[in-house]
Amino acid sequence: MTFGEQPAYLRVAGDLRRKIVNGSLPPHTRLPSQARIREEYGVSDTVALEARKVLMAEGLVEGRSGSGTYVREQPVPRRIARSGFRAESGASPFRQEQAAEGTRGTWESSSERQGASAAVAARLGIQPGEHVMRTRYVFRDAGEAMMLSTSWEPLAITGRTPVMLPEEGPLGGCGVVERMGAIDVVVDNVVEDVGARPGLAEELLTLGGVPGHVVMVIQRTYYASGRAVETADVVVPADRYRIAYHLPVR
């Protein structure tokens, strides 16, 4: 095979990727061995190894202990709809979004009081170490973990109120907007920054991914008259889900 200016290992990875995508190497097929790649493409062991590493990092193949490297079955991405708060529903955004997609979601949560880290404090506009309520969620669709979320709320706002614990009390399970409204805090803006990164080991353990898999991260912050009242990191596996925004035309 003739190689151009692109590094040889990327050329090899690209050709193997093409075979995976077009079905020449279907799911559950064993990837050619390092020796076979070396012979077929006329490259060194190092190039063959690096090409296999690229495919593994892209989530196209997976190693099976004592067996070899196999082509992964690629899931058909499903949509997670994000359309903002709809006050008339009386439900949390997750319930609203699941209802819109015609699915039935469940979640588990746990809350604890802690001092805000420097990063969280910056997002909330408070001093590091100030007390916040941190709540961690695992959201499931038909029993499958589909999304993780960690939220932080300043206890200077919610402390000693009926909504201090997001999932308990008279408004437990309702969204931030409704809960804050119950203590006369009017949420008037929400900002979401969407990015991507390799999933952390503990995230992938819960979401069912393998090391190297990419996750989408939504950094969401609710504001009331310019003051941040809640911020959260929402983590979604990028190979299984797409985030779809429904934005009203004003």
Side-chain angles (χ1 to χ4, degrees):
M1 175 175 289
T2 302
F3 294 101
E5 295 181 0
Q6 190 177 42
Y9 76 95
L10 291 181
R11 288 280 186 168
V12 174
D15 192 62
L16 291 171
R17 185 190 302 110
R18 178 183 58 78
K19 292 178 179 179
I20 292 172
V21 171
N22 69 20
S24 299
L25 287 172
H28 311 296
T29 299
R30 186 171 181 176
L31 191 73
S33 67
Q34 188 170 315
R36 177 73 179 273
I37 292 174
R38 183 188 66 218
E39 292 177 10
E40 181 176 347
Y41 293 93
V43 296
S44 66
D45 280 333
T46 300
V47 169
L49 178 60
E50 290 302 314
R52 288 160 62 91
K53 286 181 179 180
V54 168
L55 298 177
M56 189 167 292
E58 292 176 350
L60 294 174
V61 301
E62 61 184 353
R64 299 179 186 175
S65 180
S67 179
T69 303
Y70 292 80
V71 177
R72 292 183 66 242
E73 185 167 2
Q74 298 299 306
V76 177
R78 296 155 64 186
R79 296 170 68 250
I80 295 178
R82 301 189 68 79
S83 53
F85 178 76
R86 297 187 291 277
E88 68 276 6
S89 71
S92 72
F94 179 71
R95 283 176 173 165
Q96 293 172 359
E97 291 151 8
Q98 291 283 290
E101 294 299 302
T103 56
R104 185 176 181 83
T106 60
W107 68 85
E108 307 145 17
S109 66
S110 62
S111 296
E112 68 173 335
R113 178 189 180 114
Q114 65 173 206
S117 67
V120 169
R123 288 163 59 175
L124 290 173
I126 61 178
Q127 293 298 314
E130 284 192 37
H131 288 152
V132 295
M133 184 63 68
R134 183 190 68 186
T135 304
R136 289 178 168 169
Y137 296 87
V138 179
F139 296 93
R140 301 183 184 277
D141 179 8
E144 178 186 275
M146 60 176 290
M147 184 166 64
L148 307 177
S149 178
T150 304
S151 70
W152 298 269
E153 296 179 352
L155 286 175
I157 296 174
T158 61
R160 301 181 183 275
T161 74
V163 300
M164 183 174 71
L165 293 169
E167 296 297 320
E168 297 182 22
L171 293 179
C174 292
V176 174
V177 176
E178 186 173 354
R179 290 176 47 250
M180 292 296 169
I183 57 173
D184 297 323
V185 176
V186 179
V187 173
D188 53 20
N189 191 27
V190 58
V191 175
E192 292 193 347
D193 291 328
V194 183
R197 59 166 170 77
L200 303 178
E202 56 268 28
E203 293 170 341
L204 296 176
L205 180 63
T206 301
L207 293 170
V210 298
H213 274 193
V214 173
V215 295
M216 292 177 286
V217 182
I218 304 169
Q219 287 191 354
R220 181 199 67 207
T221 305
Y222 283 100
Y223 295 90
S225 299
R227 182 184 186 184
V229 299
E230 188 256 21
T231 193
D233 285 341
V234 182
V235 178
V236 180
D239 64 331
R240 282 182 278 151
Y241 291 94
R242 296 290 181 267
I243 299 172
Y245 283 86
H246 298 265
L247 304 176
V249 177
R250 297 184 182 275

